[in-house]
Amino acid sequence: MSNGDIFVGEVIGTAILILFGAGVVAAVVLNYSKAKDAGWVVIAFGWGFGVMAGAYTAAPLSGGHLNPAVTVGIAIDTGDWDKVHIYVAGQMVGAFLGAILCWLVYFAQFQANSEEDKAQPTLGIFSTAPAIRNPVANLITEIIATIGLVLPILAFGLTKGLGESGTAILIVAFLVVGIGLSLGGPTGYAINPARDLGPRIAHAVLPIPNKGTSDWSYSWIPVVGPLIGGVLSGLIFNAAF
């Protein structure tokens, strides 16, 4: 895979991931959305389908990492760090663009959010926030949840034919759904630094009415936690397998 293919693949795949993921959150929480109040299960499946669509699209070009934690875990496993920066750059750009696409899809709903009696915070559509703010607990949650994603992804590579058949991507999509349902309650399960930071930046710069103040004091946790989880996954995989 060339550097250009990797970058383009990760941009497109991650943009699709965020379009679906942020899109399902917007659908569930924004007033005047037909999916208003559809609930957490719908959000978990929306993110899972986003992973599936994005990864299948990016796979022929880049392998479809879509997540710096996955990229780091694979690099630790293989010892190949040469293209990590290209993957991460594509993922960050794609996440930012995906957030913009979500904003465009729900533009009318975001504009309607300017009505005082219907105004609601919008940062949670684009990035994660803890149910109970406890930095140590929140960080541990993100680390464990990311290990629950990256370690199985590394192990899937040991199953002959799984990657070649494309079934692995489908399984990862359902894995993300499972993580959302089982481990997503405490922090909103970022499990992906690009997924949180790229849309968080987009939310800060987009002309969204009543978006409130961005909580940058928490933003390091959904970046550092998943990266630590990715590193630990690679180390555990090398030690155990």
Side-chain angles (χ1 to χ4, degrees):
M1 291 179 285
S2 70
N3 290 347
D5 284 346
I6 291 172
F7 182 78
V8 170
E10 292 298 297
V11 168
I12 295 173
T14 309
I16 292 173
L17 163 63
I18 300 303
L19 172 61
F20 276 58
V24 73
V25 180
V28 170
V29 305
L30 282 175
N31 293 317
Y32 308 110
S33 165
K34 291 181 179 293
K36 172 72 174 174
D37 296 328
W40 186 256
V41 174
V42 170
I43 289 175
F45 272 94
W47 276 104
F49 291 142
V51 169
M52 182 177 65
Y56 272 124
T57 304
L61 292 172
S62 66
H65 294 188
L66 314 186
N67 183 341
V70 171
T71 300
V72 168
I74 292 173
I76 290 176
D77 174 40
T78 62
D80 184 4
W81 292 83
D82 291 346
K83 299 182 184 297
V84 168
H85 65 290
I86 300 171
Y87 275 97
V88 174
Q91 292 154 4
M92 284 297 301
V93 171
F96 183 84
L97 293 177
I100 293 176
L101 293 174
C102 171
W103 170 67
L104 290 173
V105 170
Y106 285 92
F107 181 81
Q109 282 72 25
F110 280 116
Q111 292 304 111
N113 195 41
S114 62
E115 299 176 13
E116 290 187 6
D117 62 330
K118 292 287 187 178
Q120 57 193 141
T122 55
L123 179 60
I125 293 171
F126 296 91
S127 59
T128 61
I132 298 175
R133 195 181 184 104
N134 182 318
V136 174
N138 302 152
L139 184 66
I140 290 172
T141 295
E142 286 294 333
I143 291 171
I144 293 173
T146 306
I147 292 173
L149 171 68
V150 179
L151 188 57
I153 288 176
L154 295 175
F156 293 159
L158 299 178
T159 302
K160 186 177 180 180
L162 197 60
E164 295 177 359
S165 68
T167 310
I169 292 176
L170 180 61
I171 295 174
V172 171
F174 280 106
L175 174 62
V176 171
V177 173
I179 291 172
L181 294 176
S182 300
L183 308 176
T187 61
Y189 72 116
I191 60 175
N192 181 340
R195 167 266 176 274
D196 194 273
L197 184 57
R200 190 182 292 267
I201 294 171
H203 177 267
V205 301
L206 286 170
I208 301 174
N210 292 319
K211 59 184 174 183
T213 303
S214 295
D215 185 8
W216 291 101
S217 64
Y218 177 79
S219 63
W220 67 274
I221 290 177
V223 172
V224 174
L227 287 176
I228 294 174
V231 169
L232 292 176
S233 296
L235 294 174
I236 294 169
F237 184 78
N238 278 343
F241 296 90

